[in-house]
Amino acid sequence: MRMQLTKIVGNGRLTNLVWPKSVYSSSFLKPLFHQRSLSEYSTLSSSHLWKMCSPNGVRVRGTIQSGAFPSSLLARRVFSNALLQGRRRFPVKHCNRRSFSSFPWSSFLRRLTTNGVVLGLIVTNAAVFILWRVAGIPFMVKNFTISVDNILSGRLHTLITNAFSHINQFHIISNMITLYFFGTAIGRYFGPQYLLKLYLAGALAGSIFYVAYKAFIAPLVHKNDKRGLPHSMDPALGASGATTAILLLYIFLFPKKTILIDFIIPVPAVLVGVLFIGKDILMVLQGDRDVAGSAHLGGAAVATVAWLQKRKGRFGRF
């Protein structure tokens, strides 16, 4: 769950830890590559092809059409030679647009694995957790928390960096347990790249929801936060928006699965989802004073969009 800075330094409730009773994996369907037609490689006409295949192009053509070609191997060789000569004499003009595969990060993304993404995210969160003990508090608040003031000051990077930031041990443990179990399940079903995109999208949406709530809605509910400070100065941090997106997408996809609460209590996934969202709405109505329920709802929105895309058959394009 995402905790606000006021919650971190004081005492407060922690949400129950949840993880799947069992993590299932499925094999991925690799895309089938269709063979390209001859016209894609050359503008050479069929009559030119036969003439290049043999000194007596007419005789070869007639032999093939009559079905009397000596062997399939020889036929393939004839076609292959014609194709190569056609490409040399009549080269195809390629588009100058830069394909996605030529970008520097494309090769890196192709090498990602589910376990590698999950481990990398956990290590990054742990590194920032240690950084809170090493770096100065003003520096960390300005660069690793999300608030209206940070955004207005131009520190837009905090929309993402706060999602890797924790200062409380129980906070980071609960988020990383959720990421490990549910993130591994999502990554095995839909791939490591999808898992990484889902984490970042949930983090970004959670930050946007929180900033929008603190800027426009919270002042209408409560004039100031519980410390008497303006809502624009109330910072929040944590991977809750990201982990909420991962958790709720798993629940939307597998509502009949069983999830263990507090390591012991088996509960249907759909019931966990209802309780989770209901609690976040209640926290928002109460002013997001201890826990940033608005950030959780941002992650829930991302999970909903991803689930709808899956139902329309466009899940992998997220």
Side-chain angles (χ1 to χ4, degrees), residues 7-22:
K7 167 69 180 297
I8 296 170
V9 298
N11 295 324
R13 296 176 300 151
L14 291 173
T15 56
N16 296 328
L17 302 180
V18 292
W19 59 92
K21 184 176 183 181
S22 59

Side-chain angles (χ1 to χ4, degrees), residues 20 22-29 113-118 179-196 246 250 253-254 315:
S22 59
V23 177
Y24 299 92
S25 62
S26 66
S27 60
F28 296 99
L29 297 177
T113 63
T114 297
N115 291 336
V117 170
V118 172
L179 172 62
Y180 177 78
F181 285 101
F182 293 102
T184 300
I186 293 297
R188 287 178 179 173
Y189 274 108
F190 305 110
Q193 294 184 28
Y194 187 90
L195 172 60
L196 181 59
I246 294 172
Y250 179 91
L253 293 172
F254 312 108
F315 193 82

